[in-house]
């Protein structure tokens, strides 16, 4: 499985993460094809916790994003958020991954990124393929 994302989409997430003192977060909308996850749109949401070590998305905002995705014929293929230290899932993230079993893209504020998915209750790394748009 690969996470295929356009350079401009990854760039905008990395730039926001660099400029933020709290964790940034949002959804990756797109499609699944031949086992790959293809990102077509990036939707930023608010970090309800306003925290530098955790994030949470308001359920009402999640509903709005899911409705929007539905209208556009896209699926919520991933969740992204930032860390102020390295892009490795925290214990809290792993709990979240049990609820949202899609790809989790984690970036840090230095331009590093990684993607992960929970498979058989274990965190697995997902290859990120950055494509030019
Ligand atoms: Zn995290």
């Amino acid at each position: 499985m690969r996470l295929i994302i356009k350079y401009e989409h990854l760039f905008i997430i990395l730039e926001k993460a660099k400029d933020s003192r709290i964790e940034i977060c949002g959804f990756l909308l797109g499609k699944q094809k031949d086992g790959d996850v293809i990102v077509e749109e990036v939707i930023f949401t608010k970090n309800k916790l306003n925290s530098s070590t955790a994030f949470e998305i308001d359920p009402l905002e999640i509903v709005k994003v899911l409705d929007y995705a539905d209208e556009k014929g896209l699926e919520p293929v991933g969740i992204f958020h930032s860390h102020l230290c390295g892009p490795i899932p925290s214990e809290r993230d792993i709990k979240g991954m049990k609820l949202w079993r899609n790809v989790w893209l984690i970036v840090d504020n230095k331009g590093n990124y990684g993607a992960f998915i929970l498979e058989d209750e274990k965190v697995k790394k997902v290859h990120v393929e950055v494509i030019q748009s």
Side-chain angles (χ1 to χ4, degrees), residues 111-128:
N112 301 305
Y113 57 86
F116 308 87
I117 196 161
L118 210 60
E119 256 179 42
D120 303 324
E121 304 309 303
K122 287 202 180 84
V123 177
K124 296 226 169 106
K125 222 172 164 173
V126 174
H127 177 72
V128 180

Side-chain angles (χ1 to χ4, degrees), residues 43-89:
I43 307 282
F44 286 89
T45 57
K46 269 178 74 174
N47 179 355
K48 196 182 153 190
L49 301 178
N50 224 13
S51 162
S52 62
T53 55
F55 80 100
E56 199 176 304
I57 305 171
D58 190 284
L60 285 177
E61 208 176 355
I62 295 175
V63 170
K64 272 188 201 163
V65 174
L66 297 182
D67 280 349
Y68 173 82
D70 215 34
E71 271 169 34
K72 289 248 172 170
L74 299 173
E75 296 164 37
V77 289
I79 285 181
F80 69 89
H81 74 286
S82 68
H83 282 173
L84 277 74
C85 53
I88 305 289

Side-chain angles (χ1 to χ4, degrees), residues 9 27-30 38-43 68 72 74 77:
H9 285 150
F27 281 89
L28 305 173
L29 304 184
I38 303 161
V39 178
E40 296 192 2
E41 213 170 316
V42 171
I43 307 282
Y68 173 82
K72 289 248 172 170
L74 299 173
V77 289

Side-chain angles (χ1 to χ4, degrees), residues 1-4 36 115-116 124-130:
M1 179 198 250
R2 295 173 300 172
L3 176 72
I4 301 172
D36 287 334
F116 308 87
K124 296 226 169 106
K125 222 172 164 173
V126 174
H127 177 72
V128 180
E129 192 158 318
V130 183

Side-chain angles (χ1 to χ4, degrees), residues 89-105:
S90 65
E91 287 300 316
R92 187 187 164 92
D93 291 338
I94 295 168
K95 281 186 194 154
M97 290 171 89
K98 288 179 182 166
L99 295 174
W100 288 91
R101 292 185 166 268
N102 51 15
V103 174
W104 281 51
L105 174 68

Side-chain angles (χ1 to χ4, degrees), residues 5-14 129-133:
I5 186 166
K6 283 180 187 162
Y7 175 76
E8 62 183 79
H9 285 150
L10 183 61
F11 183 79
I12 191 171
I13 295 171
L14 291 172
E129 192 158 318
V130 183
I131 56 171
Q132 297 297 329
S133 20

